[in-house]
Structures are given as structure tokens and as C-alpha cells.
Amino acid sequence: MVKSFVKGSCLRRAGAAALAGVMALGVLAVSVPQAEARDGRNGALAAGAAVGLAAGALLGAAAANSGPEYIAPPPAYYPPPPPYPHYGGPVYYAPPPVPRCYMSPIQRWDPYIGQYVVVGHQQMCN
């Protein structure tokens, strides 16, 4: 069974809240009219807008790319078991002797049915 774990879901919510706060401040800063724009202070406004736009782009990219982190399961490879203790080479046994004895049927003539009938067995040895 493959499991995936989500790390930092609380951090993701906090990042989304921070992004919403930055966007609200940006809307507020744009909607407030400038009280006095003389002596070349318009350059500071442009620099602040550029920094705010760049910071918003960075926070938006970070929030968009912060998906659930996948943790892969452990590998399916297990090391081989330790070798068995070695007590010497293989042991070979002589083949079993060929049986020299066998069972032979004992047959007798049965006049009632007119043929030979097996009435027992006897052991025959060479």
C-alpha cells in the first residue's frame, strides 16, 4: 500500500493568509491618494510599487508550488539471508543394492473354472 504524507499543511494555510494580507495592503496602498507629490518623491512610490509587485509574485509562486510532498515507500529489495554454516562438502552414499529376491506367484489348476488360479506368493532369491 502506498501512502503519501502532507507536510506543512498548517504552513500552507499561514502562507495563504499572509498572501491575502499582502494583497489587501497592496489594494489599500493603491487606493489611498498621495497627499503631496513634490520634490521628486514620485520615484519612491514607483520603487515601492515595484518591490511590492516582486514580493507578491514571489509569494504567489511559492503558494502555487507548495503541493503535498510525496514520500516514497521503502524499496522492495531485502538483503539475502546469511549463509548457512558450512560443515564440509556434500556426502555421497552408495546406491542401494539391487534386490536379488522377488515374489513369485504360486499357481494351481482349478478344475471347476478350467484354468490356473494364483493361490499365494513365494519369495525367490538368486
Side-chain angles (χ1 to χ4, degrees):
M1 183 164 130
V2 177
K3 293 183 180 179
S4 64
F5 299 99
V6 177
K7 284 188 174 181
S9 61
C10 183
L11 182 64
R12 187 173 183 185
R13 289 183 188 142
L19 181 62
V22 168
M23 289 176 65
L25 286 176
V27 169
L28 184 65
V30 171
S31 66
V32 174
Q34 188 175 359
E36 201 170 313
R38 64 179 170 192
D39 298 331
R41 284 188 268 183
N42 287 335
L45 176 66
V51 169
L53 184 62
L58 287 175
L59 285 174
N65 292 330
S66 64
E69 183 178 338
Y70 175 73
I71 299 175
Y77 171 76
Y78 294 101
Y84 293 106
H86 188 64
Y87 296 113
V91 178
Y92 296 101
Y93 296 99
V98 177
R100 298 184 333 166
C101 298
Y102 60 95
M103 300 299 286
S104 175
I106 301 172
Q107 296 180 351
R108 300 287 184 253
W109 177 258
D110 187 355
Y112 182 73
I113 59 173
Q115 66 182 14
Y116 284 95
V117 178
V118 176
V119 293
H121 289 86
Q122 66 181 0
Q123 187 175 6
M124 303 293 287
C125 294
N126 294 343

